[in-house]
Amino acid sequence: MADDNRPRRFAVLIDADNTSPRITAGLFEEIAKFGEASVRRIYGDFSSPRLKSWAEILQKYAIDPYQQFAYTSGKNASDIALVIDAMDLLHSGRFDGFCLVSSDSDFTRLASRLREEGADVYGFGAQKTPESFRQACRRFIYTENLVPEAMAATTGESAAPSSLQPASAAVPFLAKAIAQMESEDGWVSLGAVGQRLANIASDFDPRTYGFRKLSDLIRKTGAFDIDQPDGRTVRIRAKPVASNRSRRRGSSGRGQ
């Protein structure tokens, strides 16, 4: 019974060369939403001045640094070490999943291989991360969305996250999710839409569009009806477009 109640265990593997220490607080807050960061490792050449900003962060968040000297230019020993450790941890059988923190597409095959073995993979990287790596993960969280959360936690403010894309850019994803769900009257539950979105686009996140809640994003788009009958589950549906066409036909008829 204890095993059933324990948090899901994740190995967090950070590529220091492709990750800013500014996202660290937000990173572990995000991981805490779905599991426990049981292993925390970071890989890089920490003798390089470029990575000195990680020094004070490592102790604060109990991250174990794995030093990889850059003996040869153009050869990334850190990536190789991270991949080797990931496979060792996978075969130990002690983890439910992995958090790969990098914007490097070189980890695409690693993410795919871990998922082939039944492990959940959560990717964390900048918006510039190639789509191949993003889609290889079960979920992919943009690190730009983690910085405002970290700042709010530090200052005690509750400011909304900054927007990476306009709310209108989310409409095609939302419409596709609703269209894939069977419903006689067009209404579907908000929770089910959220789950379907995760399957459609691993990197879909309301914070990308400037909202913490999916419901707030949907209201902002203006493209969907929202209903919550008698305080029950929130439902949404695409706004009908036939009425607009009818109005246009009616107005043209009156002008004749």
Side-chain angles (χ1 to χ4, degrees):
M1 183 64 68
D3 289 341
D4 294 336
N5 294 329
R6 70 166 175 80
R8 301 175 71 226
R9 301 182 65 188
F10 284 82
V12 183
L13 308 178
I14 305 171
D15 173 14
D17 292 327
N18 287 283
T19 305
S20 168
R22 294 175 60 240
I23 63 103
T24 309
L27 170 67
F28 288 108
E29 287 178 10
E30 190 74 18
I31 294 171
K33 295 178 182 178
F34 52 81
E36 173 187 297
S38 301
V39 165
R40 306 179 179 197
R41 299 180 182 178
I42 187 168
Y43 301 80
D45 183 3
F46 298 101
S47 64
S48 169
R50 197 163 55 87
L51 299 184
K52 290 187 74 173
S53 55
W54 276 104
E56 59 186 48
I57 298 293
L58 300 181
Q59 184 174 3
K60 181 178 180 180
Y61 292 96
I63 306 172
D64 293 328
Y66 279 64
Q67 171 66 32
Q68 301 296 321
F69 291 102
Y71 293 114
T72 305
S73 177
K75 302 294 184 180
N76 198 333
S78 298
D79 288 3
I80 296 173
L82 190 155
V83 171
I84 292 173
D85 281 5
M87 298 310 295
D88 285 345
L89 293 169
L90 170 69
H91 292 299
S92 73
R94 296 183 290 116
F95 299 94
D96 299 295
F98 293 79
C99 298
L100 303 180
V101 188
S102 178
S103 303
D104 192 341
S105 63
D106 288 348
F107 294 111
T108 300
R109 180 55 187 146
L110 172 62
S112 299
R113 185 71 179 86
L114 293 172
R115 294 191 70 186
E116 287 172 5
E117 292 294 325
D120 284 336
V121 178
Y122 289 76
F124 295 83
Q127 197 174 16
K128 66 181 181 180
T129 303
E131 185 177 7
S132 59
F133 181 31
R134 301 200 311 264
Q135 296 303 324
C137 301
R138 177 187 176 185
R139 278 208 62 207
F140 193 90
I141 296 94
Y142 292 132
T143 51
E144 291 93 340
N145 287 330
L146 303 180
V147 176
E149 296 290 337
M151 292 173 63
T154 302
T155 62
E157 299 174 356
S158 57
S162 58
S163 173
L164 300 178
Q165 296 185 35
S168 59
V171 172
F173 296 105
L174 295 165
K176 185 175 182 179
I178 294 174
Q180 289 182 356
M181 302 171 67
E182 296 182 1
S183 173
E184 293 182 358
D185 57 3
W187 289 100
V188 295
S189 74
L190 179 65
V193 171
Q195 293 176 357
R196 185 58 61 92
L197 284 168
N199 295 330
I200 292 174
S202 63
D203 57 350
F204 187 90
D205 189 332
R207 290 172 296 185
T208 300
Y209 309 93
F211 297 90
R212 287 192 175 89
K213 295 182 179 178
L214 179 60
S215 58
D216 292 338
L217 168 60
I218 291 172
R219 288 189 180 92
K220 178 63 177 178
T221 66
F224 305 92
D225 291 324
I226 301 180
D227 182 39
Q228 191 172 11
D230 301 325
R232 289 181 293 176
T233 303
V234 177
R235 305 184 304 167
I236 67 171
R237 71 176 179 182
K239 285 186 175 180
V241 295
S243 59
N244 295 331
R245 294 172 181 169
S246 299
R247 281 197 295 271
R248 285 197 296 270
R249 286 197 298 267
S251 61
S252 62
R254 285 193 297 271
Q256 292 176 351

